[in-house]
């Protein structure tokens, strides 16, 4: 039996802050590889200003500041508490002199952001209704020869074997399927929503840019995981349960409840087979 949808497709970014921050921190090795690749496409000595669009808590902002040591890096986001985290992180890492934060709502505020040699946008564009207009705006912000790098698509993260010994096998596949429905509804409710084929290379070209390659980077944290990863998994599955509850069958909700029970020997806190595996795709394009 599937319940009525009483879930929400509105994102509560401030509430998600700890999960976003921890998730990006766990991805750090992968994002360092991505930044090193960008350093080949855009030699660090030539990069003076970077915009991290939809920066969230600024994990990538500070990584970019480290990878591009001559650049000022601006964390751009519409959620003030996330920008506060970005500021605090930059201070902790001794990067406050080169990291700034900028409160901006995209796409409307794009033209206020100033010029950049590199624009990074990680998993943020898909939260903007009119992605084509947003990309055109970002392309306008690039200096000649500048590079844009979008993290979009790839493979969604997985955490558990197909059969977890609880409920029906295939829980994560079913979660992924209902998450895709949820995602489409979330997008359809965004202001200015326009449906697009998510062909990032074509969308970048339509924004007047020259595509310069895409690469995928594997995040592979095998079982058994550390307490920090377990805590992230707990937050991830708690959020899935809350957001997707109305779309899941009763037995899947029951399996999720057992996974989330800290005392359950089959729960995420104790099971030895939980892992974190994901692929992040970075699409790049250059302004001629
Ligand atoms: C999934 S998070 C990604 C955070 C970070 N880039 C990362 O990869 O870890 C999406 C971010 O986009 C921001 N965002 C969503 N819609 C936005 C908009 N219209 N204008 C500016 N920022 C937006 C949210 O506040 C959130 O921080």
């Amino acid at each position: 039996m599937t319940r009525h949808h009483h879930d929400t497709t509105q994102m509560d970014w401030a509430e998600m802050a700890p999960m976003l921050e921890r998730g990006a921190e766990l991805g750090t090795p992968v994002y360092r590889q991505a930044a090193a690749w960008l350093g080949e496409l855009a030699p660090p000595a030539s990069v003076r200003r970077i915009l991290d669009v939809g920066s969230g808590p600024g994990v990538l902002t500070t990584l970019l500041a480290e990878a591009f040591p001559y650049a000022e890096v601006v964390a751009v986001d519409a959620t003030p508490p996330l920008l506060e985290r970005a500021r605090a992180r930059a201070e902790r890492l001794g990067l406050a002199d080169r990291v700034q934060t900028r409160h901006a709502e995209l796409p409307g505020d794009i033209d206020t952001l100033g010029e950049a040699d590199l624009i990074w946008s990680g998993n943020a564009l898909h939260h903007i209704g009119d992605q084509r207009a947003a990309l055109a705006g970002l392309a306008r912000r690039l200096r000649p020869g500048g590079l844009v790098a979008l993290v979009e698509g790839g493979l969604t993260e997985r955490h558990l074997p197909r059969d977890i010994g609880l409920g029906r096998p295939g829980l994560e596949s079913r979660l992924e399927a209902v998450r895709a429905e949820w995602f489409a509804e979330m997008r359809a409710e965004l202001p200015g929503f326009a449906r697009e084929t998510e062909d990032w290379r074509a969308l970048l070209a339509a924004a007047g840019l020259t595509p310069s390659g895409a690469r995928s980077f594997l995040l592979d944290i095998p079982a058994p995981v550390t307490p920090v990863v377990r805590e992230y998994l707990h937050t991830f599955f708690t959020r899935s349960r809350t957001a997707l509850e109305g779309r899941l069958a009763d037995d899947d909700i029951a399996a999720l409840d057992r996974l989330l029970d800290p005392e359950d020997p089959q729960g995420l806190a104790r099971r030895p087979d939980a892992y974190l595996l994901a692929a992040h795709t970075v699409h790049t394009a250059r302004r001629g």
Side-chain angles (χ1 to χ4, degrees):
M1 189 200 85
T2 302
R3 292 142 197 258
H4 285 299
H5 294 189
H6 53 78
D7 50 17
T8 174
T9 50
Q10 300 277 313
M11 306 298 295
D12 184 345
W13 293 115
E15 197 252 5
M16 287 171 65
M19 185 178 88
L20 289 176
E21 190 159 7
R22 185 46 59 76
E25 284 171 352
L26 292 175
T28 292
V30 163
Y31 288 128
R32 276 198 215 288
Q33 289 171 31
W37 177 50
L38 293 185
E40 291 169 22
L41 297 175
S46 67
V47 176
R48 298 300 160 122
R49 190 160 191 269
I50 301 175
L51 298 175
D52 178 4
V53 173
S55 64
V59 178
L60 273 298
T61 316
T62 51
L63 279 181
L64 290 166
E66 285 167 357
F68 292 90
Y70 308 107
E72 159 194 81
V73 190
V74 188
V76 178
D77 206 279
T79 309
L82 294 178
L83 291 174
E84 276 164 32
R85 282 182 183 247
R87 236 183 331 267
R89 171 173 289 271
E91 271 168 28
R92 270 200 312 281
L93 297 175
L95 293 166
D97 57 330
R98 288 194 295 117
V99 170
Q100 292 176 14
T101 57
R102 181 68 160 275
H103 181 247
E105 184 82 42
L106 271 62
D109 294 335
I110 285 179
D111 287 329
T112 68
L113 300 178
E115 292 187 326
D117 304 296
L118 173 61
I119 299 178
W120 169 276
S121 186
N123 291 309
L125 205 69
H126 60 239
H127 292 290
I128 294 174
D130 190 342
Q131 299 172 109
R132 193 176 282 267
L135 276 179
L138 294 180
R140 283 196 300 277
R141 306 288 13 114
L142 278 181
R143 291 179 178 142
L147 193 74
V148 64
L150 304 177
V151 186
E152 290 289 346
L155 298 173
T156 51
E157 59 187 71
R158 285 295 180 107
H159 321 87
L160 291 167
R162 189 185 59 84
D163 190 340
I164 57 171
L166 286 176
R168 272 176 296 149
L171 174 65
E172 279 216 284
S173 301
R174 291 190 295 283
L175 286 174
E176 198 172 312
V178 292
R179 198 175 289 118
E181 285 171 14
W182 172 92
F183 189 86
E185 285 177 31
M186 178 277 291
R187 279 206 47 73
E189 288 168 14
L190 290 171
F193 168 68
R195 186 172 167 186
E196 291 290 351
T197 302
E198 290 165 349
D199 176 346
W200 297 104
R201 184 183 155 85
L203 287 167
L204 287 162
L209 302 171
T210 306
S212 46
R215 274 186 65 185
S216 295
F217 298 88
L218 191 71
L219 174 62
D220 181 9
I221 304 180
V225 294
T226 60
V228 168
V229 179
R230 284 187 196 281
E231 185 195 308
Y232 169 76
L233 298 186
H234 195 274
T235 318
F236 181 92
F237 277 90
T238 301
R239 179 171 153 71
S240 295
R241 193 200 182 291
T242 311
L244 306 176
E245 182 178 12
R247 300 167 198 265
L248 290 167
D250 290 346
D251 61 340
D252 283 342
I253 297 280
L256 280 173
D257 284 341
R258 286 201 55 191
L259 283 173
L260 291 170
D261 179 352
E263 304 303 328
D264 194 315
Q266 302 252 54
L268 288 166
R270 300 191 184 188
R271 53 186 310 130
D273 55 3
Y275 57 87
L276 178 53
L277 182 66
H280 298 293
T281 303
V282 182
H283 308 263
T284 67
R286 198 182 289 288
R287 182 173 163 194

